[in-house]
């Protein structure tokens, strides 16, 4: 469920496509066809409804932050390589605002809220270092899902 929420939030910021989201949903459903939430999502008429459903039905008390973070960072790494730093920074601020409140101030997610600050005084290097540290957060800790 955590991975699917990551894809949904990234879809909302135009970082992953609807097709990528649907492909991952199908894979997760095939791995766990007994999951009622995946079944519901398979039949949602729109992405907007899927995102709202996911946000409403995820139990954040049982939420695996590492699984969510790994999925999020994996897709963000791909996006980081393909766009300008300014475009990436603008999307990251919006992504941070869309995160569930329980994640916004946690490592590494809170970096999304301030990593673009050095750009305002022309320090692209510091911004890159902050984003690259965030993107590698789970690799450095050897955390598995």
């Amino acid at each position: 469920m955590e991975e699917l929420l990551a894809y949904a939030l990234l879809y909302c910021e135009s970082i992953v496509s609807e097709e990528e989201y649907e492909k991952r949903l199908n894979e997760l459903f095939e791995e766990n066809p007994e999951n009622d939430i995946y079944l519901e999502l398979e039949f949602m008429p729109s992405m907007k409804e899927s995102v709202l459903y996911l946000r409403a039905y995820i139990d954040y008390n049982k939420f695996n932050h590492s699984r969510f973070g790994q999925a999020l960072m994996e897709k963000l790494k791909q996006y980081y390589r393909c766009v300008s730093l300014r475009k990436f920074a603008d999307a990251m601020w919006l992504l941070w605002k869309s995160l569930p409140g329980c994640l916004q101030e946690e490592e590494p997610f809170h970096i999304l809220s301030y990593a673009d600050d050095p750009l305002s005084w022309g320090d692209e290097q510091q911004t890159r270092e902050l984003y690259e540290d965030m993107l590698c957060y789970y690799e450095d800790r050897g955390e598995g899902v």
Side-chain angles (χ1 to χ4, degrees):
M1 199 60 50
E2 294 85 352
E3 187 175 352
L4 206 52
L5 179 62
Y7 274 69
L9 295 176
L10 291 169
Y11 166 79
C12 291
E13 300 309 324
S14 301
I15 295 171
V16 300
S17 66
E18 185 172 350
E19 291 76 25
E20 285 178 276
Y21 167 86
E22 288 175 358
K23 180 179 183 228
R24 190 61 190 135
L25 171 59
N26 292 336
E27 292 167 351
L28 291 167
F29 182 63
E30 287 174 11
E31 292 169 15
N32 191 357
E34 321 277 306
N35 186 306
D36 292 336
I37 294 176
Y38 292 154
L39 180 62
E40 282 289 327
L41 290 167
E42 285 283 341
F43 293 102
M44 287 284 160
S46 72
M47 274 302 296
K48 181 179 180 180
E49 289 181 59
S50 292
V51 171
L52 291 172
Y53 183 86
L54 267 171
R55 291 184 72 99
Y57 287 97
I58 286 182
D59 181 354
Y60 291 104
N61 293 319
K62 297 178 183 174
F63 193 77
N64 185 324
H65 296 196
S66 291
R67 181 169 288 157
F68 171 81
Q70 288 173 343
L72 189 74
M73 295 310 155
E74 189 58 39
K75 295 312 270 184
L76 288 178
K77 282 179 199 173
Q78 295 169 13
Y79 186 65
Y80 181 74
R81 292 183 202 117
C82 298
V83 298
S84 71
L85 183 59
R86 173 48 52 198
K87 184 172 182 172
F88 186 82
D90 290 344
M92 295 309 96
W93 168 249
L94 294 172
L95 178 62
W96 178 78
K97 287 176 29 176
S98 73
L99 288 175
C102 64
L103 296 176
Q104 286 183 333
E105 298 307 317
E106 282 194 16
E107 289 270 353
F109 312 112
H110 76 285
I111 293 170
L112 296 168
S113 71
Y114 67 82
D116 65 335
D117 289 352
L119 289 178
S120 65
W121 59 84
D123 192 345
E124 184 176 307
Q125 167 115 13
Q126 186 178 8
T127 294
R128 285 196 182 280
E129 288 172 5
L130 289 167
Y131 283 134
E132 290 170 11
D133 285 347
M134 176 195 71
L135 293 170
C136 295
Y137 180 84
Y138 295 98
E139 293 171 17
D140 296 344
R141 282 154 185 76
E143 293 183 31
V145 280

